[in-house]
Amino acid sequence: MQAVHTIAPVWNADSNVLILGTMPSPASRAAGFFYMHPQNRFWKVMAEIFGTPFQFPNNAPERDAAVAERREFLLAHRIALWDVLAECEIRGAEDASIRRPVPNDFSELLSASRIRRVFCTGKTAAALYERHCAARCGLPWECLPSTSPANQGRWPFPALVEAYRAALRPS
């Protein structure tokens, strides 16, 4: 299935770290924001690191409030959030099924912010970033473990938190 990224990146001029996923899952695309599947551990990791709990509401008004809360949280912590791909062919949320990837254009985000470090969430995001974006972006980047529930066996929650905490520590 052809998937087109419709979620705007979260960033402002003060953002100094960019976290990139691969492509929003069907649940995230439906919610209109990043990492909105309740089983994905991204927001749980952020909550643990920064002491800010996040809810996963089901109805539209509460979901809109949750999205606004997450957006404000990211900007307050100078974190920019987006995905490597603008579109691709993908089955569900299976990164391994990605075909015909088209990368996002990071030029405006990078030129109008203070971003100096890029982190990719998972091996597929990292491989796609390295192949399609790293040379153009010209910033140091690292691969963080995926927060997907499929990665729980390899990365238990405490280890995941520590990996993200170390990456997000101010430099």
Side-chain angles (χ1 to χ4, degrees):
M1 172 173 118
Q2 186 69 19
V4 176
H5 201 306
T6 58
I7 304 170
V10 176
W11 67 280
N12 65 19
D14 292 327
S15 298
N16 64 10
V17 169
L18 173 59
I19 299 176
L20 296 171
T22 305
M23 183 76 179
S25 70
S28 292
R29 290 194 304 267
F33 204 65
F34 305 93
Y35 303 104
M36 291 303 281
H37 191 288
Q39 298 306 309
N40 189 295
R41 300 177 293 166
F42 181 84
W43 293 111
K44 294 171 180 117
V45 167
M46 295 295 114
E48 184 69 24
I49 292 171
F50 294 100
T52 305
F54 297 101
Q55 302 300 315
F56 290 89
N58 292 320
N59 65 54
E62 289 178 2
R63 188 172 47 242
D64 291 347
V67 166
E69 173 189 41
R70 285 164 171 77
R71 187 179 309 282
E72 289 173 22
F73 165 85
L74 292 165
L75 296 176
H77 291 284
R78 301 177 0 168
I79 298 170
L81 188 60
W82 206 9
D83 289 299
V84 175
L85 299 182
E87 64 181 275
C88 65
E89 291 178 8
I90 187 170
R91 269 190 323 270
E94 295 176 45
D95 281 0
S97 73
I98 289 175
R99 302 288 179 264
R100 300 179 190 212
V102 177
N104 272 311
D105 179 359
F106 300 101
S107 56
E108 178 186 358
L109 187 155
L110 295 176
S111 67
S113 71
R114 296 178 181 192
I115 293 171
R116 297 295 171 255
R117 297 183 300 158
V118 177
F119 297 99
C120 298
T121 61
K123 291 179 182 177
T124 302
L128 289 164
Y129 181 81
E130 181 176 33
R131 187 175 316 128
H132 298 286
C133 309
R136 267 194 330 258
C137 292
L139 291 174
W141 65 277
E142 294 178 39
C143 179
L144 291 172
S146 171
T147 56
S148 165
N151 200 26
Q152 287 181 10
R154 289 183 297 269
W155 281 90
F157 188 72
L160 194 61
V161 168
E162 285 313 308
Y164 277 73
R165 187 186 317 270
L168 295 175
R169 194 170 285 129
S171 57

